[in-house]
Amino acid sequence: MFLRRAALILPKSRRLFNSSSGHDLSSSIDELNKEMEFVFGEAPPTSLAGSTESQPTPQDSQSIEKTENKTMLTHISVKGEAQMVDVSHKDTTKRVAIASCKVILGKKVYDLVSANQLAKGDVLSVAKIAGITGAKQTSNLIPLCHNINLTHVRVDLRLNPREFCVEIEGEAASTGKTGVEMEAMTAVTLAGLTVYDMCKAASKDIQITDVRLERKTGGKSGDWSRAK
Protein backbone atom coordinates (compact mmCIF):
# COMPACT_ATOMS: atom_id res chain seq x y z
CA MET A 1 0.00 0.00 0.00
CA PHE A 2 1.46 3.26 -1.04
CA LEU A 3 0.91 6.52 0.74
CA ARG A 4 0.63 9.47 -1.53
CA ARG A 5 2.11 12.59 -0.06
CA ALA A 6 -0.28 15.52 -0.59
CA ALA A 7 1.18 18.34 -2.55
CA LEU A 8 1.13 21.73 -0.91
CA ILE A 9 0.71 24.50 -3.41
CA LEU A 10 2.12 27.78 -2.21
CA PRO A 11 1.58 31.13 -3.78
CA LYS A 12 4.36 32.39 -5.88
CA SER A 13 7.19 33.34 -3.53
CA ARG A 14 8.51 36.83 -3.36
CA ARG A 15 11.97 38.14 -2.74
CA LEU A 16 11.07 39.95 0.46
CA PHE A 17 14.27 41.72 1.27
CA ASN A 18 15.55 42.55 -2.16
CA SER A 19 16.14 46.28 -2.14
CA SER A 20 15.39 46.44 -5.84
CA SER A 21 11.85 45.13 -5.31
CA GLY A 22 10.68 48.57 -4.28
CA HIS A 23 9.03 47.25 -1.09
CA ASP A 24 10.08 48.55 2.29
CA LEU A 25 10.42 46.20 5.24
CA SER A 26 6.93 46.86 6.53
CA SER A 27 5.32 46.00 3.19
CA SER A 28 7.40 42.85 2.95
CA ILE A 29 6.27 41.69 6.38
CA ASP A 30 2.64 42.34 5.43
CA GLU A 31 3.06 40.21 2.29
CA LEU A 32 4.64 37.40 4.30
CA ASN A 33 1.76 37.46 6.76
CA LYS A 34 -0.74 37.16 3.91
CA GLU A 35 1.09 34.14 2.54
CA MET A 36 1.11 32.46 5.97
CA GLU A 37 -2.60 33.14 6.34
CA PHE A 38 -3.18 31.54 2.90
CA VAL A 39 -1.23 28.43 3.92
CA PHE A 40 -2.33 27.96 7.53
CA GLY A 41 -5.80 29.44 7.40
CA GLU A 42 -5.16 32.19 9.98
CA ALA A 43 -2.96 35.18 10.49
CA PRO A 44 0.22 34.69 12.53
CA PRO A 45 0.23 35.82 16.17
CA THR A 46 1.13 39.45 16.76
CA SER A 47 3.86 38.48 19.24
CA LEU A 48 6.00 35.41 19.75
CA ALA A 49 5.64 33.25 22.83
CA GLY A 50 9.22 33.87 23.84
CA SER A 51 9.15 37.56 23.12
CA THR A 52 9.98 39.97 25.92
CA GLU A 53 7.12 42.22 24.78
CA SER A 54 4.01 40.79 26.45
CA GLN A 55 0.54 42.16 26.88
CA PRO A 56 0.12 44.27 30.05
CA THR A 57 -1.48 42.55 33.00
CA PRO A 58 -4.47 44.13 34.76
CA GLN A 59 -2.06 45.30 37.45
CA ASP A 60 0.18 46.89 34.83
CA SER A 61 -2.83 48.57 33.23
CA GLN A 62 -3.82 50.04 36.58
CA SER A 63 -0.30 51.33 37.08
CA ILE A 64 -0.27 52.93 33.64
CA GLU A 65 -3.67 54.49 34.21
CA LYS A 66 -2.59 55.77 37.60
CA THR A 67 0.52 57.34 36.07
CA GLU A 68 -1.13 58.89 33.03
CA ASN A 69 -4.38 60.00 34.67
CA LYS A 70 -3.75 63.08 36.79
CA THR A 71 -7.21 63.03 38.39
CA MET A 72 -7.29 60.23 40.93
CA LEU A 73 -9.15 59.37 44.14
CA THR A 74 -6.36 59.80 46.67
CA HIS A 75 -8.28 58.08 49.47
CA ILE A 76 -8.37 54.81 47.48
CA SER A 77 -5.30 52.55 47.47
CA VAL A 78 -4.14 50.55 44.43
CA LYS A 79 -6.00 47.59 45.97
CA GLY A 80 -9.24 49.56 46.15
CA GLU A 81 -9.08 49.94 49.92
CA ALA A 82 -9.76 53.10 51.90
CA GLN A 83 -6.63 54.85 53.10
CA MET A 84 -5.50 58.01 54.83
CA VAL A 85 -3.30 59.97 52.44
CA ASP A 86 0.36 60.35 53.39
CA VAL A 87 1.06 64.10 53.20
CA SER A 88 4.54 64.01 54.72
CA HIS A 89 6.19 64.80 51.36
CA LYS A 90 4.01 67.86 50.68
CA ASP A 91 5.18 71.43 51.15
CA THR A 92 3.97 73.48 54.09
CA THR A 93 1.94 76.39 52.72
CA LYS A 94 -0.81 78.71 53.87
CA ARG A 95 -4.18 77.22 52.95
CA VAL A 96 -7.58 78.89 53.00
CA ALA A 97 -11.01 77.54 52.04
CA ILE A 98 -14.43 79.21 51.93
CA ALA A 99 -17.70 77.26 51.78
CA SER A 100 -21.38 78.17 51.91
CA CYS A 101 -24.90 76.82 52.29
CA LYS A 102 -28.49 77.97 52.66
CA VAL A 103 -31.17 77.13 55.21
CA ILE A 104 -34.60 77.73 53.69
CA LEU A 105 -36.98 78.57 56.54
CA GLY A 106 -40.23 79.71 54.96
CA LYS A 107 -41.91 83.00 55.86
CA LYS A 108 -43.36 81.92 59.20
CA VAL A 109 -40.09 80.67 60.67
CA TYR A 110 -38.10 83.44 59.01
CA ASP A 111 -40.21 86.05 60.81
CA LEU A 112 -39.64 84.28 64.15
CA VAL A 113 -35.89 84.07 63.62
CA SER A 114 -35.55 87.70 62.51
CA ALA A 115 -37.56 88.83 65.57
CA ASN A 116 -35.57 86.47 67.86
CA GLN A 117 -38.82 84.97 69.16
CA LEU A 118 -37.96 81.26 69.13
CA ALA A 119 -38.10 79.38 72.41
CA LYS A 120 -34.52 78.11 72.18
CA GLY A 121 -33.06 81.60 71.91
CA ASP A 122 -30.81 83.46 69.48
CA VAL A 123 -30.64 81.14 66.47
CA LEU A 124 -27.87 82.89 64.54
CA SER A 125 -25.51 83.26 67.50
CA VAL A 126 -25.82 79.65 68.59
CA ALA A 127 -25.39 78.39 64.99
CA LYS A 128 -22.27 80.53 64.58
CA ILE A 129 -20.61 78.92 67.62
CA ALA A 130 -21.71 75.47 66.42
CA GLY A 131 -20.09 76.06 63.04
CA ILE A 132 -16.77 77.12 64.56
CA THR A 133 -16.81 74.12 66.91
CA GLY A 134 -17.69 71.81 64.02
CA ALA A 135 -14.73 72.98 61.95
CA LYS A 136 -12.38 72.10 64.80
CA GLN A 137 -13.92 68.61 65.07
CA THR A 138 -13.75 67.72 61.36
CA SER A 139 -11.14 64.95 61.69
CA ASN A 140 -13.32 63.29 64.38
CA LEU A 141 -16.42 63.42 62.18
CA ILE A 142 -14.91 62.39 58.83
CA PRO A 143 -12.71 59.27 59.16
CA LEU A 144 -9.98 59.96 56.59
CA CYS A 145 -9.47 63.68 57.28
CA HIS A 146 -6.18 64.73 58.85
CA ASN A 147 -6.12 66.29 62.29
CA ILE A 148 -4.75 69.72 61.43
CA ASN A 149 -4.04 72.88 63.38
CA LEU A 150 -6.46 75.58 62.27
CA THR A 151 -5.17 79.13 62.47
CA HIS A 152 -8.54 80.75 61.78
CA VAL A 153 -12.23 79.86 61.52
CA ARG A 154 -14.96 82.28 60.50
CA VAL A 155 -18.71 81.58 60.27
CA ASP A 156 -21.15 84.28 59.13
CA LEU A 157 -24.96 83.94 58.99
CA ARG A 158 -27.13 86.43 57.11
CA LEU A 159 -30.90 86.63 56.84
CA ASN A 160 -32.19 86.85 53.27
CA PRO A 161 -35.72 88.36 53.26
CA ARG A 162 -36.24 87.68 49.55
CA GLU A 163 -35.87 83.91 49.89
CA PHE A 164 -36.86 83.62 53.57
CA CYS A 165 -33.62 81.83 54.28
CA VAL A 166 -30.39 82.02 56.24
CA GLU A 167 -27.24 82.27 54.10
CA ILE A 168 -24.19 80.79 55.78
CA GLU A 169 -20.56 81.30 54.81
CA GLY A 170 -17.64 79.60 56.52
CA GLU A 171 -13.90 80.10 56.20
CA ALA A 172 -11.09 77.93 57.51
CA ALA A 173 -7.35 78.63 57.37
CA SER A 174 -4.22 76.70 58.25
CA THR A 175 -0.51 76.64 57.51
CA GLY A 176 0.33 73.02 56.81
CA LYS A 177 0.60 70.13 54.38
CA THR A 178 -3.07 69.51 53.58
CA GLY A 179 -6.09 71.60 52.63
CA VAL A 180 -8.90 72.93 54.79
CA GLU A 181 -11.82 72.45 52.38
CA MET A 182 -13.48 69.88 54.60
CA GLU A 183 -13.16 72.12 57.66
CA ALA A 184 -14.90 74.98 55.87
CA MET A 185 -17.68 72.73 54.58
CA THR A 186 -18.13 71.09 57.97
CA ALA A 187 -18.44 74.53 59.55
CA VAL A 188 -21.35 75.61 57.33
CA THR A 189 -23.03 72.20 57.56
CA LEU A 190 -22.98 72.15 61.38
CA ALA A 191 -24.19 75.74 61.47
CA GLY A 192 -27.06 74.81 59.14
CA LEU A 193 -27.98 71.79 61.21
CA THR A 194 -28.03 73.96 64.32
CA VAL A 195 -30.39 76.42 62.64
CA TYR A 196 -32.66 73.48 61.85
CA ASP A 197 -32.48 72.21 65.45
CA MET A 198 -33.28 75.64 66.86
CA CYS A 199 -36.27 76.07 64.53
CA LYS A 200 -37.69 72.57 64.10
CA ALA A 201 -40.38 73.11 66.76
CA ALA A 202 -41.87 75.80 64.54
CA SER A 203 -41.61 73.83 61.27
CA LYS A 204 -40.38 70.49 60.00
CA ASP A 205 -40.28 71.76 56.41
CA ILE A 206 -36.95 73.58 56.76
CA GLN A 207 -34.36 72.65 54.11
CA ILE A 208 -30.55 72.81 54.16
CA THR A 209 -29.35 73.24 50.58
CA ASP A 210 -26.37 74.13 48.39
CA VAL A 211 -23.58 73.00 50.71
CA ARG A 212 -20.55 73.66 48.54
CA LEU A 213 -16.97 74.87 48.34
CA GLU A 214 -16.73 78.42 46.97
CA ARG A 215 -12.97 78.85 46.70
CA LYS A 216 -9.64 77.70 48.06
CA THR A 217 -6.03 78.83 47.98
CA GLY A 218 -2.69 77.21 48.64
CA GLY A 219 -1.30 73.73 48.12
CA LYS A 220 0.01 71.95 45.05
CA SER A 221 -3.23 72.39 43.09
CA GLY A 222 -3.08 76.15 43.58
CA ASP A 223 -6.03 78.52 43.74
CA TRP A 224 -9.57 77.53 42.75
CA SER A 225 -12.81 79.48 42.63
CA ARG A 226 -16.33 78.44 41.69
CA ALA A 227 -17.48 79.96 38.43
CA LYS A 228 -20.16 82.59 38.91
Side-chain angles (χ1 to χ4, degrees):
M1 182 177 183
F2 295 97
L3 295 176
R4 180 172 297 176
R5 185 175 297 173
L8 180 62
I9 301 175
L10 299 176
K12 185 177 181 180
S13 62
R14 298 173 176 83
R15 297 179 63 186
L16 296 176
F17 302 103
N18 188 343
S19 59
S20 62
S21 64
H23 294 288
D24 58 17
L25 181 59
S26 177
S27 299
S28 300
I29 293 174
D30 289 340
E31 293 175 1
L32 178 60
N33 288 339
K34 291 178 181 179
E35 291 184 6
M36 293 180 68
E37 184 174 0
F38 178 85
V39 174
F40 298 107
E42 61 181 0
T46 56
S47 62
L48 300 177
S51 173
T52 58
E53 298 181 3
S54 59
Q55 296 296 320
T57 64
Q59 292 80 6
D60 294 334
S61 298
Q62 291 176 2
S63 301
I64 295 171
E65 182 179 358
K66 188 175 182 65
T67 302
E68 294 179 349
N69 186 2
K70 295 181 180 180
T71 303
M72 297 177 292
L73 297 177
T74 56
H75 286 295
I76 304 298
S77 70
V78 293
K79 295 181 180 180
E81 300 170 343
Q83 66 175 359
M84 190 172 185
V85 178
D86 183 1
V87 298
S88 58
H89 64 284
K90 291 188 176 182
D91 295 332
T92 298
T93 62
K94 182 177 180 180
R95 300 163 185 268
V96 178
I98 296 176
S100 67
C101 78
K102 288 182 180 180
V103 184
I104 301 175
L105 302 172
K107 188 177 187 310
K108 173 187 172 182
V109 179
Y110 179 87
D111 290 341
L112 293 173
V113 172
S114 60
N116 195 16
Q117 293 181 352
L118 285 165
K120 286 190 175 183
D122 187 348
V123 173
L124 302 187
S125 295
V126 175
K128 179 184 182 75
I129 299 301
I132 295 173
T133 303
K136 295 190 292 184
Q137 296 295 319
T138 300
S139 63
N140 293 328
L141 298 171
I142 302 176
L144 300 181
C145 279
H146 293 82
N147 185 2
I148 63 177
N149 293 320
L150 294 171
T151 58
H152 174 65
V153 178
R154 172 182 62 84
V155 178
D156 292 329
L157 296 93
R158 295 180 293 271
L159 291 170
N160 183 334
R162 296 186 304 276
E163 300 181 27
F164 302 118
C165 72
V166 180
E167 296 177 341
I168 305 175
E169 182 176 271
E171 178 181 0
S174 175
T175 299
K177 295 176 177 291
T178 188
V180 288
E181 293 93 329
M182 294 310 303
E183 284 70 18
M185 295 181 71
T186 299
V188 299
T189 301
L190 264 293
L193 288 170
T194 301
V195 171
Y196 187 98
D197 178 63
M198 298 283 286
C199 301
K200 67 179 186 294
S203 174
K204 301 295 189 295
D205 195 37
I206 300 168
Q207 300 178 56
I208 302 172
T209 67
D210 300 326
V211 178
R212 63 189 190 181
L213 180 69
E214 296 293 346
R215 56 187 179 274
K216 55 85 63 178
T217 61
K220 183 178 180 181
S221 61
D223 298 350
W224 178 89
S225 180
R226 183 173 297 278
K228 299 299 183 181

